[in-house]
Structure formats: structure tokens, C-alpha cells
Amino acid sequence: MRRALAQARQAEACGEVPVGAVLVADDECLAEAFNAPISRNDPSAHAEVAVLRLAAAQAQNYRLPNTTLYVTIEPCTMCFGALIHARVGRLVFGAREPRAGVVCSQLQLADQGFYNHRLEVCEGVLADECAELVSGFFRAKRGQA
């Protein structure tokens, strides 16, 4: 999660919402990425999607089984769907996202039985630090307005 936080800080330095992600298999980092939808003019350039794209390209496979995704904030609908399609085995996230998080905060998608893939979920890893990074980012934005 510390590596994901470092990625989130890079996003913040670029003026992006500070979310970072790291994909791991067998204790080896396969890829790491951060939010970049503003700078890339790409609404799908969330940290989770970016890290999956990097790892899939490296693996030359759109399936990433037996991997663990570490992400600083609870994933949104788009990102959760990408995790399911990639067949990620485990999701570890830091802080809940009360408005758009769909794993625990809103739709509880990881608990739904209609998917043909299930992933293990672990939440709350470095939650305070992850939450403060995002909260501080938005406090600073509001202060500029």
C-alpha cells in the first residue's frame, strides 16, 4: 500500500485526484499507476484501469489471475468491472469512498452472486493515510475557489 500511496502522491503533483494502484503477483510488483484522466483527457484513466492495462500488456494477456491489486481508495463501478474482467484474485484498498465506492460503500458489488468471477476483498490498509490524502487534496481545491 505504501507504493500505491507514492503513486497517489504523483497523481496529486500532476493536479489529479490522488489515487494510486499497484498490481502484485507472487510478491512481485507487475505494474503501478496513478489517476490521470485530466492530463490524458481520458475518463477511463483511473489508477486501477491504468495498472491493469500496463500489467496486461506486459503479460500479453487480458486475464491477470492470481494477482492482488492494492489501491488507495475503494474502486468505482468502472474500475470494479475491470477487476472482474481481468480476473484479479484479490483487492486490497485503503479508504472507503462513500459516494462512488461500489465494493463496500454503495452497491456491495463484490458480494453479488451474478458475476462469474469472485475476488477476495480486504479493506482498511493504511486507511487514515489514504483518506487524508484525498481529503487534503479536495480541501486545498476548495480553498483555491
Side-chain angles (χ1 to χ4, degrees):
M1 189 60 76
R2 293 255 177 242
R3 287 180 83 151
L5 278 162
Q7 289 294 309
R9 289 183 186 96
Q10 287 186 30
E12 183 177 39
C14 295
E16 301 278 358
V17 175
V19 178
V22 176
L23 191 70
V24 174
D26 299 321
D27 293 325
E28 179 184 338
C29 178
L30 302 178
E32 47 192 357
F34 56 84
N35 262 12
I38 298 166
S39 58
R40 291 188 184 156
N41 296 308
D42 178 358
S44 70
H46 289 198
E48 301 94 324
V49 172
V51 82
L52 292 175
R53 285 177 178 158
L54 290 168
Q58 179 183 337
Q60 295 186 339
N61 191 343
Y62 73 108
R63 301 280 198 220
L64 300 164
N66 305 312
T67 57
T68 297
L69 178 79
Y70 293 86
V71 63
T72 55
I73 300 296
E74 179 182 6
C76 71
T77 309
M78 174 184 69
C79 294
F80 184 81
L83 296 174
I84 292 291
H85 287 287
R87 302 296 193 263
V88 169
R90 184 171 180 239
L91 165 66
V92 178
F93 70 88
R96 288 190 177 192
E97 210 300 16
R99 293 181 62 195
V102 299
V103 178
C104 299
S105 297
Q106 292 298 330
L107 302 173
Q108 296 79 39
L109 290 182
D111 296 331
Q112 301 304 315
F114 50 78
Y115 291 112
N116 62 351
H117 174 72
R118 300 200 44 94
L119 63 148
E120 178 186 340
V121 175
C122 175
E123 70 166 300
V125 177
L126 299 177
D128 292 341
E129 193 172 342
C130 292
E132 180 52 38
L133 190 58
V134 173
S135 296
F137 174 81
F138 284 111
R139 269 195 311 273
K141 287 283 186 196
R142 285 190 301 272
Q144 293 173 357

